[in-house]
Amino acid sequence: MTIVTADRYNAFHEVWDEISHAEGTLAGMTIAIKDNIVTKTGTTTCGSRMLEGYKSPFDATVVSRLQNAGATLVGKTNCDEFAMGSSTEHCAWGPVRNPWDETRVPGGSSGGSAVAVAARLCDCALGSDTGGSIRQPAAFCGVVGYKPTYGTVSRYGLVAFASSLDQIGTFSTTVEDAARVTQVIGGYDELDSTSNPEPLPNVTSELRTPINNLRIGVPSQYLGENNEPAVTEAVLQAIETYKELGATIVDVELPLTDVGISTYYVLAPAEASSNLARYDGIRYGHRTSEPCTDLFELYAKNRAEGFGEEVKRRIMLGTYVLSSGYYDAYYNNALRVRRLICQEYQQAFHKCDVILGPTAPTAAFKIGEKTDPVSMYLNDVYTANTNIAGICGISIPCGFSEEHGVKLPVGLHLQSAWHDDATLLRAAQMFETATPFHLETPEQSS
Ligand code: GLN
């Protein structure tokens, strides 16, 4: 059991010190919880002033399942406000720092969870992934980040950002831990209307059996000019490793890769604008101390003071694309593209079991480096479509970039078809067993 000691990276918003003495399959495992997943212990703030000091009256399903399995929950990790971001700079409690280089971001929005595991402050952490928020920070921090198929893990108690895309998943140092924890938190939950009613397959039992004749699809769209050379290099090396393990590489095409971001930035803000309407400062959220003459002014002041800039931008964007006159042009069109993206993946998965590429086009960037929102959004170019299609994806360590004068981790992104998580995890396990990258820690490199 690893226990949080010092947190110089601002990974945690709260550290708890209760140790679980319960028995169960996760007894002895320390697990941190992203601050947008509700817990009766402590507070749940979503990295926002809007929810400063908020105490949930109930535990999320994933939280009670972890406790019942004997895990020790160590605290709440910092995230971008309401999980909107790719750097964990947009957190009301300050930016989170990357342990490989403290002048750099850990990725986001689940940056605190990624750092907690990368710095070995705990064994595992939960995050949420709406467009890449588990996989991209896992890549930037050199750990395993797994987003299960939509509906595998209950969203009950996950503070909603974009409900048709949100999914809870894990950060860990090994694929095996990702599978073990998912076995506990996954499976049907009647409290989530989109929870998959099928029994959860036993992903852990066959994890260590390599897949014979694994077919890996490598879309040309994933290895283009956008990537920094060290990222493409590490991915090409990973392809060689898989070939040595007996895998067959097949060409697949995902031409809609580059429209993923524009589709995501219609769908996700649309859902967010609706989900975040509840923070009016009356039922939930920050209440202004300024005098107000009417109810509208009270709402306006509460929301103006409580929300940060990025969240306001998303609410305005979402309200715009849903407004009459623009609904068809933006929201309905994005839904049509969503269907095409799903079909494109389905066709690709006729030819292969796993799609492989980089998790993000670059290694971790500097804190403060990305000042315009679009350059930040482009970080999710390889991860957003996974959520749009609802399929599963994982980022695993596959090497390092030395391009920036420091050693920075590079993540390998694997995706599998809807509910084919067992194949995804087995394919990831094959790579991990054959390579040393997951064993390196930031302490060794500093
Ligand atoms: N970076 C994306 C965004 O800002 C994805 C966030 C997420 O997955 N929660 O919306």
Side-chain angles (χ1 to χ4, degrees):
M1 167 157 26
T2 311
I3 295 194
V4 186
T5 45
D7 178 18
R8 56 198 277 195
Y9 312 110
N10 195 31
F12 281 83
H13 180 55
E14 266 178 22
V15 175
W16 305 334
D17 53 12
E18 303 99 282
I19 301 289
S20 164
H21 296 291
E23 291 179 10
T25 56
L26 300 183
M29 195 185 245
T30 49
I31 304 184
I33 309 290
K34 185 178 181 180
D35 198 21
N36 64 346
I37 298 172
V38 303
T39 47
K40 273 203 284 200
T41 310
T43 62
T44 301
T45 75
C46 298
S48 181
R49 298 220 172 276
M50 185 53 99
L51 288 177
E52 185 165 11
Y54 173 70
K55 287 186 79 66
S56 169
F58 66 99
D59 278 323
T61 296
V62 290
V63 168
S64 38
R65 287 187 183 179
L66 288 177
Q67 281 165 336
N68 292 341
T72 292
L73 305 188
V74 293
K76 303 299 279 280
T77 54
N78 279 321
C79 57
D80 281 303
E81 188 175 359
F82 286 100
M84 298 173 189
S86 303
S87 68
T88 322
E89 291 168 288
H90 302 293
C91 173
W93 324 124
V96 176
R97 296 177 182 280
N98 190 317
W100 293 89
D101 174 358
E102 291 179 37
T103 67
R104 288 174 191 272
V105 304
S109 65
S110 315
S113 289
V115 171
V117 174
R120 306 298 192 264
L121 301 175
C122 53
D123 301 317
C124 179
L126 296 190
S128 64
D129 191 312
T130 305
S133 278
I134 291 175
R135 292 160 288 155
Q136 183 255 19
F140 280 15
C141 293
V143 296
V144 176
Y146 168 43
K147 183 205 91 75
T149 296
Y150 183 81
T152 302
V153 178
S154 169
R155 291 182 296 108
Y156 183 71
L158 168 65
V159 176
F161 162 12
S163 312
S164 80
L165 304 163
D166 296 340
Q167 185 65 180
I168 292 176
T170 57
F171 291 89
S172 53
T173 55
T174 62
V175 174
E176 185 158 8
D177 279 353
R180 279 178 66 204
V181 174
T182 304
Q183 206 71 57
V184 167
I185 61 174
Y188 180 66
D189 177 16
E190 61 177 13
L191 298 172
D192 172 0
S193 61
T194 58
S195 173
N196 178 21
E198 300 291 318
L200 194 69
N202 188 344
V203 279
T204 37
S205 66
E206 287 183 36
L207 192 62
R208 291 194 165 269
T209 320
I211 301 172
N212 286 327
N213 310 319
L214 178 68
R215 295 167 309 159
I216 297 183
V218 182
S220 57
Q221 290 82 2
Y222 284 7
L223 293 171
E225 303 280 279
N226 294 339
N227 299 342
E228 74 178 42
V231 166
T232 300
E233 189 47 43
V235 171
L236 293 175
Q237 276 300 320
I239 293 172
E240 292 309 310
T241 304
Y242 271 113
K243 283 187 191 160
E244 284 162 23
L245 294 170
T248 315
I249 307 301
V250 296
D251 287 330
V252 295
E253 291 300 316
L254 294 176
L256 295 174
T257 299
D258 66 348
V259 299
I261 292 297
S262 29
T263 310
Y264 175 86
Y265 278 96
V266 174
L267 296 176
E271 296 187 30
S273 71
S274 164
N275 275 325
L276 272 61
R278 73 190 66 169
Y279 303 103
D280 55 14
I282 295 175
R283 285 170 302 172
Y284 293 99
H286 168 82
R287 174 77 71 105
T288 184
S289 51
E290 301 271 310
C292 294
T293 50
D294 59 28
L295 191 58
F296 180 82
E297 198 186 346
L298 177 65
Y299 288 155
K301 282 200 172 135
N302 293 342
R303 288 167 70 83
E305 291 173 10
F307 288 136
E309 244 177 60
E310 183 59 29
V311 173
K312 286 178 187 162
R313 181 178 295 118
R314 306 281 179 111
I315 292 172
M316 287 190 279
L317 211 59
T319 309
Y320 180 78
V321 301
L322 290 176
S323 59
S324 80
Y326 296 103
Y327 187 98
D328 267 336
Y330 293 107
Y331 187 67
N332 256 345
N333 253 348
L335 287 180
R336 286 192 197 100
V337 178
R338 182 175 203 169
R339 171 135 358 133
L340 295 175
I341 290 171
C342 291
Q343 286 169 357
E344 187 173 275
Y345 273 119
Q346 269 163 11
Q347 277 162 9
F349 286 123
H350 285 313
K351 298 212 278 182
C352 65
D353 308 300
V354 167
I355 293 173
L356 174 152
T359 307
T362 66
F365 47 89
K366 289 257 185 191
I367 293 175
E369 180 183 322
K370 298 215 189 282
T371 45
D372 80 293
V374 175
S375 72
M376 187 74 81
Y377 298 170
L378 286 172
N379 253 278
D380 298 320
V381 56
Y382 301 129
T383 49
N385 281 2
T386 321
N387 303 70
I388 289 175
I391 60 175
C392 50
I394 192 168
S395 179
I396 53 178
C398 74
F400 295 90
S401 168
E402 312 259 359
E403 274 178 43
H404 308 273
V406 277
K407 190 173 171 183
L408 298 173
V410 175
L412 182 71
H413 188 214
L414 305 177
Q415 299 170 89
S416 286
W418 211 56
H419 293 302
D420 203 5
D421 296 60
T423 300
L424 179 80
L425 293 169
R426 275 170 78 189
Q429 174 72 50
M430 282 168 69
F431 185 81
E432 186 183 283
T433 307
T435 55
F437 309 113
H438 64 290
L439 299 171
E440 296 209 28
T441 63
E443 282 74 20
Q444 291 165 341
S445 87
S446 58

